[in-house]
């Protein structure tokens, strides 16, 4: 695998965790390898054949971990059906009903493709996992800096996770008690399809597409209408301020919570939904959230909030 240019490191035999004991365990030290030693998990990964041979001499039978970021890979981790399917399997699903044939990660991915007007482009190098899932290996587009994420909020959807920068996968021919990680034969790693890149951007996994925060600008005034009470105006202002006050990393979650709260007021107290969406969109722009991601989050949050009406007393 190192011959492909993939950066690898040893993973415990029959498991998924790094084989090398953590270098600074219990010391409260955050180190990704600057100390010069091993024991930094995926940050140890390399293509240096001499170092790789030394590792497998020390850890015979170890599984292979592939660090996706430095390997130039985006791996879509498609899981099999585990547990009860949630009501919404996509972050931007809104009020759309989940089709009956969506019962696992493969179904979610196929539905995603249909929503984007394309067939699920899965023809790429892949590895079937011992539990029946699939790892789809794609070549990462240059300069995008795609990061790892999981689940409905951070990945591509329910049971469709993403391993890229900051993440790793257990590589081909590794073992688990359930069996082998079996690769496809004769299929190359293909470029990441454009529709998947768009979905990853919506999930906030493409930092290069996140505009800088405009922290110097105050929120634009929003007309809530003559019937809006002072209490309702204060409630809207409070939710917008909560979005503005959250630091990087929690902005999309804060926006979703604010949209949910305002959606409750839309249904329970007659708040103008278009005005609420306008205020939320402006706040999202100020804190630097991508427009497509913000639009999806706002629509989903307002929709969910409408289903749980909340009134307020002036």
């Amino acid at each position: 695998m190192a011959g492909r240019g993939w950066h690898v490191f040893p993973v415990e035999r029959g498991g998924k965790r790094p084989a090398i004991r953590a270098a600074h365990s219990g010391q409260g030290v955050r180190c990704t390898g600057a100390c010069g030693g091993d024991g930094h998990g995926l940050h140890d990964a390399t293509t240096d054949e001499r170092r790789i041979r030394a590792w497998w001499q020390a850890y015979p039978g170890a599984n292979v971990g592939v660090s996706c970021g430095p390997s130039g890979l985006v791996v879509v981790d498609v899981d099999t059906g585990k547990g009860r399917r949630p009501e919404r399997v996509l972050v931007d699903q809104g009020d759309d009903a989940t089709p009956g044939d969506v019962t696992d990660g493969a179904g979610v991915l196929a539905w995603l493709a249909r929503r984007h007007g394309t067939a699920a482009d899965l023809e790429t190098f892949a590895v079937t996992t011992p539990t029946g899932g699939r790892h789809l290996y794609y070549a990462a587009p240059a300069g995008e800096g795609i990061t790892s994420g999981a689940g409905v909020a951070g990945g591509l959807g329910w049971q469709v996770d993403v391993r890229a920068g900051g993440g790793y996968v257990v590589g081909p021919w590794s073992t688990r008690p359930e069996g082998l990680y079996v690769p496809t034969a004769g299929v190359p790693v293909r470029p990441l399809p454009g529709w998947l890149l768009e979905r990853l951007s919506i999930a906030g996994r493409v930092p290069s597409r996140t505009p800088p925060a405009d922290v110097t600008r105050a929120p634009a005034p929003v007309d809530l209408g003559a019937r809006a009470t002072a209490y309702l105006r204060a409630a809207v202002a409070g939710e917008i301020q909560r979005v503005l006050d959250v630091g990087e990393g929690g902005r999309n979650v804060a926006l979703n919570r604010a949209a949910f709260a305002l959606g409750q007021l839309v249904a329970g107290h007659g708040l103008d939904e278009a005005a609420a969406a306008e205020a939320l969109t402006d706040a999202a722009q100020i804190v630097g959230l991508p427009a497509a991601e913000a639009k999806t989050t706002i629509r989903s949050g307002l929709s969910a909030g409408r289903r749980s009406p909340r009134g307020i007393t002036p």
Side-chain angles (χ1 to χ4, degrees):
M1 279 175 272
R4 289 175 174 258
W6 295 356
H7 291 238
V8 301
F9 65 101
V11 171
E12 63 183 0
R13 185 172 186 171
K16 296 182 178 181
R17 295 179 301 181
I20 303 174
R21 184 178 181 274
H24 310 287
S25 179
Q27 300 176 21
V29 176
R30 292 182 62 85
C31 177
T32 58
C35 66
D38 294 334
H40 305 91
L42 63 85
H43 301 290
D44 289 338
T46 184
T47 58
D48 186 316
E49 293 185 5
R50 181 179 301 177
R51 193 175 175 197
I52 293 169
R53 282 196 297 269
W55 279 337
W56 264 265
Q57 287 173 358
Y59 301 94
N63 281 344
V64 179
V66 180
S67 181
C68 298
S71 301
L73 294 171
V74 175
V75 179
V76 178
D77 183 357
V78 184
D79 210 345
T80 53
K82 294 177 182 176
R84 184 177 179 181
R85 189 188 73 186
E87 180 182 355
R88 286 183 294 279
V89 299
L90 304 175
V91 70
D92 60 343
Q93 184 169 338
D95 290 326
D96 295 344
T98 302
D101 61 349
V102 176
T103 59
D104 58 12
V108 170
L109 201 56
W111 188 36
L112 263 180
R114 294 198 300 269
R115 286 168 66 94
H116 279 259
T118 184
D121 187 0
L122 307 182
E123 187 63 24
T124 189
F125 179 83
V127 174
T128 301
T129 72
T131 54
R134 298 187 79 204
H135 291 167
L136 308 175
Y137 286 61
Y138 292 102
E144 296 288 7
I146 298 171
T147 60
S148 300
V152 174
L156 288 167
W158 175 61
Q159 296 193 349
V160 188
D161 301 337
V162 179
R163 311 297 178 206
Y168 71 92
V169 291
V170 178
W173 300 120
S174 294
T175 65
R176 293 274 291 162
E178 301 90 343
L180 289 170
Y181 288 81
V182 182
T184 54
V187 181
V189 175
R190 302 192 187 280
L192 183 73
W195 69 273
L196 280 176
L197 179 61
E198 182 179 344
R199 291 302 310 183
L200 291 171
S201 180
I202 290 172
R205 303 269 64 84
V206 191
S208 65
R209 300 192 174 201
T210 301
D214 185 6
V215 295
T216 62
R217 183 170 71 81
V222 176
D223 183 9
L224 297 180
R227 294 186 177 183
T229 64
Y231 199 106
L232 184 59
R233 295 177 189 277
V236 173
E239 294 301 335
I240 297 305
Q241 192 60 50
R242 268 187 275 276
V243 175
L244 300 178
D245 289 343
V246 172
E248 187 173 358
R251 298 174 302 185
N252 192 59
V253 173
L255 182 64
N256 183 66
R257 289 174 177 170
F260 179 85
L262 296 187
Q264 289 183 304
L265 296 179
V266 167
H269 204 75
L271 173 63
D272 184 272
E273 184 168 358
E278 180 183 346
L280 290 165
T281 300
D282 185 55
Q285 183 178 3
I286 291 174
V287 299
L289 283 171
E293 177 185 349
K295 181 179 179 180
T296 294
T297 300
I298 292 168
R299 182 175 63 185
S300 176
L302 287 171
S303 175
R306 287 198 310 270
R307 292 194 289 272
S308 300
R310 172 170 62 94
I312 58 177
T313 304

